[in-house]
Amino acid sequence: MTSAPATTPHPRESLTDPGYQAFAILRVGFTVAPILFGLDKFANLLVDWPGYLAPWIDDITPGSAQQAMYAVGAIEIVAGLVVAVAPRFGGWLVAGWLAGIIVDLLTIPDYYDIALRDFGLLLGAVALARLAERYRRTSD
């Protein structure tokens, strides 16, 4: 049994399709959140981001923990932009990035709750990538 090829429904049909609605919500969320969190790595308005860097990672990265957060912020901004233009790839990129963050957090005592939250976000990023496959445009 073969499955039907992925097609893009007519735009009006897409707006009423719950699967497409879920795809659109995840695409917007995984575009905006990484960009905003990435920008905040430069301002530390939401939280003191260097405190989320495991000491062993800080030891192997050049410069200070804040300088490492600048690199992290740049990567997160790029990841959000990739989700915006190519969600089939961007969803997997964000999922991989979140996996790295989870490893970092699991090596810091008392950050397990945040690692669990990020695991939920990782599942959402995977769902985005899979839905993007279903709702891809021919130009993607």
Side-chain angles (χ1 to χ4, degrees):
M1 178 179 198
T2 60
S3 61
T7 59
T8 303
H10 187 276
R12 286 191 183 164
E13 294 170 334
S14 297
L15 297 176
T16 61
D17 174 10
Y20 184 79
Q21 292 170 359
F23 164 67
I25 290 166
L26 290 169
R27 186 176 189 176
V28 169
F30 282 106
T31 295
V32 173
I35 292 171
L36 290 179
F37 286 127
L39 289 171
D40 195 56
K41 299 298 188 294
F42 295 90
N44 291 309
L45 296 175
L46 297 173
V47 69
D48 181 34
W49 291 108
Y52 288 88
L53 188 64
W56 68 272
I57 295 176
D58 190 22
D59 290 343
I60 63 173
T61 56
S64 68
Q66 182 58 57
Q67 289 170 327
M69 285 297 119
Y70 295 150
V72 166
I75 292 167
E76 289 175 346
I77 292 166
V78 169
L81 294 172
V82 172
V83 168
V85 298
R88 285 189 307 143
F89 176 71
W92 292 114
L93 176 64
V94 169
W97 184 250
L98 285 163
I101 292 171
I102 291 166
V103 169
D104 168 66
L105 293 171
L106 288 175
T107 63
I108 305 172
D110 300 325
Y111 285 88
Y112 304 128
D113 58 328
I114 299 170
L116 181 60
R117 181 211 54 203
D118 284 354
F119 180 71
L121 289 170
L122 182 149
L123 295 177
V126 169
L128 169 65
R130 297 302 299 139
L131 286 166
E133 187 67 37
R134 167 63 179 93
Y135 294 104
R136 72 175 182 234
R137 295 183 185 143
T138 55
S139 64
D140 266 359

